Amino acid sequence: MQELQDKEPDLLEAVVDSIESEDNQALTETLEDLQPCDIAHVLESLPPSEREPVWECLEPEIRGEVLVELRDEVRENVIEGMSTRELMQAIEDLDAEELAYILDSMPEQAVPAILASLDHLDRARLEQTLSYPEDTAGRLMDSELISVRPNVTVDVVLRYLRRHEEIPPHTDSLMVVDKSNAFIGTLPLARLLTAQVDISVGELTDTEADRVKVDTPAEDVAALFERHDLVSLAVVDDHNKLLGRITVNEIVDFIHEEADQTLLNMAGLDQDDDLFAPVLPSARRRAVWLGINLGTAFLAAYVIGLFEATLQQVVALAVLMPIVASMGGIAGSQTLTLAIRGLALQQISATNARWLALKELAVGALNGLIWAVVVGALTIIWFGDWRIGAIIAAAMMLNLLAAAAAGIAVPLLLDRLNLDPALSGSVILTTVTDVVGFMSFLGLGTLFLL
C-alpha cells in the first residue's frame, strides 16, 4: 500500500499523458494491474472530461466494482455516459449488498431492467437490504457467511469446509445456529483447527460472542468493533435469527467516511461532492454556507455598531477589540472539538455531561485568568492606561468562560436535537464568542472610560 501511495503522482501523470496523447494501449497497460479502489481513486482525481477515456479502457467485468468504490457524485457523472446495456454488463457480477449501495445513483429508467435481471433470491436479498435504514447494521451487513449446527463434530465441519472453493473474506469464525437459524454463538477458526476431530461444535462454541440487532446504528457497531478488536460480528433480528454478518472491512470504510464527512461538514461541504465538479454547482453549494456565515458576521457587526460613539472617543478599544474575540474563538474551538470527538466515540452521556461541563468551565477560568493578566499587562505597557488594561483583562476572562460554556453546550444541544454538531457547531460557537467578546469589552469600555 505504501509503495502504491508513493507511485500515485507518477500514476496520475502517466494516465494524463496517455489521455492527452490518445494512446489507449498505454492507458490500458497502466490501468490493468490496478485494483478497483485504485482505479476509482484515479477517476476521482481527474476532471470530468478526462474520465471517459479511462472508463472506456476498463474491462466490463471490473467496471461494477469500480462503481461501488466511487463517491456518489463521481459515480453519477460516470453513469451518465453509459447506456443501459453497458450498465447492465457492468453490474451483473455485483452481489445484492453492493447493488443496494449504488442503486440510488442509477438512472430511473434503468432500475426496472436491473431488478428484472436478478434471480428471485438476489432480488429478495436486495429488497431486504434496501428495507433497512441508512447507517444501520442492516445496511452494513453481508449475507455471505458459513453457518454450522452445534450437534455436528469438528470432523464433519472440516470436511464441509473442504467442499468450498473459497470461504468468504474476513472469516475468522463460523456462525453456530440451531435448526431454526437462531444464533447461538461463534466457532473461531483457530479453535476449530486445533480441536480433536470427534468433539462437537457445541463444546467449542463461544456462546458469549458479540452480536447486534439489524437496526443498531452504524456508529454503535463501529464502537463495538473498536472496543473489542473484532474482525466480524453477527447480525440478528428481534427474534435472534441470524441475518448476516458485518466484517471489519465495512467498518473501516464506514469510519473513514464518517471522519471525512465530519471534516467536510465543518466547512459546510459533503463527502460525496466531486472535487472536479463544474463551477456553478460547486459555487451554489458553498454559497449557502457563506450566506449563513454572513448572517452571523452582520450580527457581530451590529453589536460593534452599538458602541460606535465609544470607539470614536477611545481608539485603543478598536485596536484591541479583535484580540478578545480571537482568544475566545480559539478556546471555544478546542472545547468544541473535544466534545464532538467525545460524542462520536460515545464517551459523553447524561451521566457525565455535567462533570465535563464543570471541568471545561474550570479550564476556561484558569486560562482566562492567566491570559487576562498577560494581555492586561501588555496593554498597560502599550497604551500607558491601567483602565484599558483592566477592561481587556475582564473581557478576556468573561469571553473565555463563555467560550468554554458554549463549546460544551452547543454540541450537546445539537446532538440532542439529532443535528450534526460538526455541521453547525463552529458557526454557533463563533457567533457566541464574537458577540460576548465585543459586548463585554466595548460595554466595559463604555461604562468605565466615558
Side-chain angles (χ1 to χ4, degrees):
M1 178 62 71
Q2 184 61 45
E3 183 180 353
L4 178 62
Q5 290 176 344
D6 294 339
K7 292 181 179 179
E8 279 180 3
D10 295 335
L11 173 62
L12 287 173
E13 185 176 348
V15 169
V16 172
D17 287 345
S18 299
I19 293 172
E20 292 178 348
S21 62
E22 299 183 356
D23 189 345
N24 290 339
Q25 181 177 352
L27 182 57
T28 300
E29 291 174 356
T30 302
L31 299 172
E32 63 184 2
D33 293 330
L34 298 181
Q35 297 294 321
C37 59
D38 300 319
I39 297 174
H41 176 74
V42 169
L43 287 168
E44 291 173 354
S45 303
L46 295 172
S49 60
E50 297 180 357
R51 290 170 182 161
E52 184 176 353
V54 173
W55 189 254
E56 292 299 324
C57 288
L58 298 180
E59 295 295 331
E61 57 266 21
I62 199 176
R63 288 180 176 179
E65 297 178 57
V66 175
L67 287 175
V68 173
E69 297 291 340
L70 289 171
R71 296 178 187 272
D72 289 353
E73 191 169 351
V74 180
R75 185 189 306 121
E76 291 168 4
N77 174 260
V78 170
I79 289 176
E80 281 178 4
M82 299 177 66
S83 66
T84 301
R85 178 175 171 275
E86 290 174 325
L87 191 55
M88 297 294 293
Q89 286 180 330
I91 65 173
E92 63 181 357
D93 292 329
L94 298 182
D95 59 34
E97 288 77 14
E98 291 171 327
L99 272 177
Y101 183 72
I102 66 172
L103 195 62
D104 288 342
S105 302
M106 299 294 172
E108 289 186 14
Q109 64 272 18
V111 172
I114 293 172
L115 296 178
S117 68
L118 301 176
D119 60 33
H120 176 72
L121 181 59
D122 285 340
R123 190 181 304 116
R125 287 172 56 189
L126 176 60
E127 291 172 352
Q128 183 184 38
T129 300
L130 292 173
S131 69
Y132 303 125
E134 288 282 354
D135 293 332
T136 61
R139 281 298 184 98
L140 291 177
M141 76 175 182
D142 187 349
S143 57
E144 189 179 14
L145 55 82
I146 297 178
S147 61
V148 294
R149 298 282 178 81
N151 57 336
V152 300
T153 63
V154 168
D155 181 52
V156 171
V157 174
L158 291 174
R159 283 189 281 113
Y160 172 64
L161 290 177
R162 292 190 189 100
R163 290 165 51 190
H164 292 73
E165 293 185 4
E166 59 181 11
I167 62 175
H170 306 291
T171 298
D172 64 320
S173 58
L174 307 182
M175 302 295 172
V176 182
V177 297
D178 64 15
K179 61 182 179 180
S180 64
N181 203 44
F183 181 70
I184 297 174
T186 61
L187 173 57
L189 289 183
R191 190 179 298 179
L192 173 69
L193 295 174
T194 57
Q196 298 295 322
V197 294
D198 57 345
I199 296 179
S200 71
V201 167
E203 296 178 69
L204 302 173
T205 299
D206 179 9
T207 57
E208 301 298 321
D210 291 309
R211 69 206 71 180
V212 291
K213 288 188 176 181
V214 70
D215 57 354
T216 303
E219 56 265 26
D220 293 347
V221 178
L224 193 60
F225 267 80
E226 182 181 15
R227 286 198 302 268
H228 295 183
D229 293 326
L230 300 176
V231 175
S232 64
L233 178 66
V235 181
V236 299
D237 63 13
D238 291 335
H239 304 290
N240 198 43
K241 302 289 185 177
L242 181 65
L243 298 176
R245 65 176 187 136
I246 299 172
T247 67
V248 67
N249 183 53
E250 282 81 21
I251 291 301
V252 169
D253 288 344
F254 172 77
I255 291 174
H256 174 75
E257 290 174 2
E258 285 292 293
D260 196 16
Q261 185 65 67
T262 298
L263 177 63
L264 291 171
N265 276 352
M266 297 181 76
L269 302 175
D270 189 271
Q271 67 169 342
D272 291 318
D273 290 350
D274 185 358
L275 180 63
F276 295 95
V279 172
L280 286 179
S282 298
R284 184 171 58 250
R285 281 192 294 262
R286 300 183 196 184
V288 174
W289 198 247
L290 290 172
I292 294 172
N293 280 274
L294 180 62
T296 63
F298 268 110
L299 178 60
Y302 171 75
V303 173
I304 296 173
L306 297 176
F307 300 96
E308 182 179 358
T310 303
L311 291 172
Q312 288 177 347
Q313 297 186 46
V314 187
V315 179
L317 295 181
V319 175
L320 297 169
M321 184 172 57
I323 297 176
V324 179
S326 176
M327 290 292 286
I330 294 297
S333 296
Q334 292 172 338
T335 303
L336 180 73
T337 302
L338 289 174
I340 291 175
R341 178 179 179 273
L343 288 169
L345 296 177
Q346 299 180 329
Q347 294 174 334
I348 301 177
S349 65
T351 58
N352 58 18
R354 183 173 179 273
W355 187 95
L356 183 61
L358 293 175
K359 175 251 185 180
E360 289 300 322
L361 285 173
V363 171
L366 181 58
N367 274 326
L369 180 61
I370 293 171
W371 292 108
V373 171
V374 172
V375 173
L378 292 174
T379 301
I380 294 172
I381 295 172
W382 187 359
F383 292 97
D385 190 334
W386 68 267
R387 295 177 302 167
I388 297 178
I391 288 170
I392 195 172
M396 182 83 70
M397 185 77 181
L398 290 173
N399 204 24
L400 262 66
L401 282 171
I408 191 67
V410 167
L412 290 177
L413 178 61
L414 292 175
D415 184 66
R416 180 166 293 186
L417 296 174
N418 292 322
L419 299 174
D420 187 356
L423 180 60
S424 52
S426 59
V427 175
I428 298 174
L429 175 69
T430 301
T431 303
V432 170
T433 54
D434 283 353
V435 170
V436 172
F438 295 146
M439 184 73 74
S440 59
F441 184 50
L442 297 178
L444 290 171
T446 302
L447 185 63
F448 292 105
L449 297 179
L450 298 183

